[in-house]
Amino acid sequence: MVYIGILAAVRLESEIPFHVAEAKAHGASRDEVISSILAGLPAVGNAVIQALPAALAAYDR
């Protein structure tokens, strides 16, 4: 989950689907994935929000 947040913070959206799928397979909830991405808001700003569509699409597959 931390790694997903880091990927969002450094704008590596292409890596997010794989790691979200792995997190889901290990029991992460959709809300936990969202929270891991949004945790970077105070430090990085709105840039992390760009990762949400890729993460949610990967989770919903």
Side-chain angles (χ1 to χ4, degrees), residues 2-43:
V2 172
Y3 194 65
I4 292 170
I6 292 169
L7 289 172
V10 297
R11 296 182 171 180
L12 289 175
E13 289 91 4
S14 64
E15 300 292 323
I16 287 178
F18 171 80
H19 292 286
V20 167
E22 288 295 306
K24 181 179 177 182
H26 286 90
S29 72
R30 195 173 196 268
D31 285 341
E32 288 172 327
V33 170
I34 293 169
S35 292
S36 71
I37 291 171
L38 296 181
L41 272 171

